[in-house]
Amino acid sequence: EDKVVQSPLSLVVHEGDTVTLNCSYEVTNFRSLLWYKQEKKAPTFLFMLTSSGIEKKSGRLSSILDKKELFSILNITATQTGDSAVYLCAVGYGGSQGNLIFGKGTKLSVKP
Amino acid sequence: KAGVTQTPRYLIKTRGQQVTLSCSPISGHRSVSWYQQTPGQGLQFLFEYFSETQRNKGNFPGRFSGRQFSNSRSEMNVSTLELGDSALYLCASSLGGAHGYTFGSGTRLTVV
């Protein structure tokens, strides 16, 4: 059965810390891996990764995919209280991008 | 540029009733997907539409159905509501390629 597993499930850090969120997957016909940030309702798109070893960066956030070991990490440096959210990892599979398998998410809490 | 619009935002229905939820994608986006989010199961894929055709369907009973109109707006219908259908229903649209999916704020359905 296809699955996406995120760890840790929750994390509490202080402002300024660096965090690493993990996502491993077992999905047939892998197409892409996506990261989303969910604060209240609508998940916000962060990254889409399709190739191994190529880091994607956006400000203090970065992510990389390892298709051999079937995992991805999301790094957040110099965390701020505004980074507090649930971070979701999703894997797209098959012939279209529309169907995503989501992990249960990592709840990040950043304390001042 | 307007985002993905879902209506209504909140809905309370009684067991056995049916409900229709609406989603207007970002202008120009032809792909629309629907997801159910619950605390226990997380985000689960319902179905994906592209150019009025259902391209993929998740593992949900036949009580869950959807459609897409020529203007790319989509609706999903749930018949014979059960208590377990209480959830946040999220719609997402995409331009395709490396753009990922943009989610709406969802419809919170409560079945009593």
Side-chain angles (χ1 to χ4, degrees):
Chain A
E1 184 185 334
D2 293 336
K3 61 181 179 180
V4 176
V5 179
Q6 292 186 246
S7 64
L9 289 180
S10 66
L11 193 54
V12 180
V13 300
H14 288 93
E15 272 192 316
D17 289 349
T18 292
V19 298
T20 298
L21 310 183
N22 304 294
C23 175
S24 64
Y25 62 91
E26 291 178 30
V27 177
T28 52
N29 295 320
F30 172 92
R31 186 183 175 92
S32 57
L33 187 143
L34 299 89
W35 285 96
Y36 284 87
K37 176 183 181 183
Q38 188 174 28
E39 293 178 84
K40 289 184 179 175
K41 283 197 175 176
T44 305
F45 174 72
L46 295 174
F47 299 112
M48 176 188 282
L49 303 149
T50 55
S51 301
S52 267
I54 300 174
E55 185 182 52
K56 293 222 173 178
K57 282 191 70 123
S58 177
R60 297 176 294 102
L61 278 65
S62 64
S63 182
I64 197 161
L65 172 66
D66 186 327
K67 289 168 75 173
K68 183 179 175 186
E69 301 297 330
L70 307 183
F71 78 91
S72 174
I73 59 172
L74 175 69
N75 278 321
I76 308 175
T77 59
T79 52
Q80 303 171 356
T81 54
D83 295 327
S84 296
V86 174
Y87 289 84
L88 296 163
C89 172
V91 171
Y93 63 99
S96 73
Q97 288 181 309
N99 37 328
L100 301 173
I101 300 173
F102 278 85
K104 295 289 176 71
T106 293
K107 184 176 180 180
L108 174 65
S109 299
V110 182
K111 293 184 178 289
Chain B
K1 172 170 157 177
V4 178
T5 303
Q6 290 189 246
T7 57
R9 296 290 299 274
Y10 301 91
L11 206 48
I12 300 176
K13 288 286 188 178
T14 305
R15 268 184 305 175
Q17 287 186 311
Q18 76 165 26
V19 67
T20 299
L21 312 181
S22 180
C23 172
S24 293
I26 292 173
S27 178
H29 287 195
R30 293 162 64 190
S31 177
V32 173
S33 291
W34 288 89
Y35 292 83
Q36 181 196 66
Q37 187 173 32
T38 59
Q41 298 299 319
L43 268 153
Q44 292 185 284
F45 171 71
L46 281 157
F47 19 68
E48 179 203 10
Y49 287 89
F50 182 85
S51 292
E52 301 179 67
T53 301
Q54 186 181 89
R55 284 208 291 202
N56 290 288
K57 189 177 193 307
N59 191 25
F60 278 81
R63 300 185 296 107
F64 292 81
S65 63
R67 59 179 175 167
Q68 187 180 32
F69 302 95
S70 58
N71 61 359
S72 293
R73 191 177 72 84
S74 177
E75 288 181 347
M76 68 163 279
N77 185 77
V78 188
S79 62
T80 320
L81 284 165
E82 300 176 1
L83 295 179
D85 297 332
S86 295
L88 179 66
Y89 289 87
L90 290 162
C91 165
S93 73
S94 175
L95 198 54
H99 297 274
Y101 268 77
T102 301
F103 281 83
S105 294
T107 293
R108 171 74 63 185
L109 172 65
T110 302
V111 182
V112 297

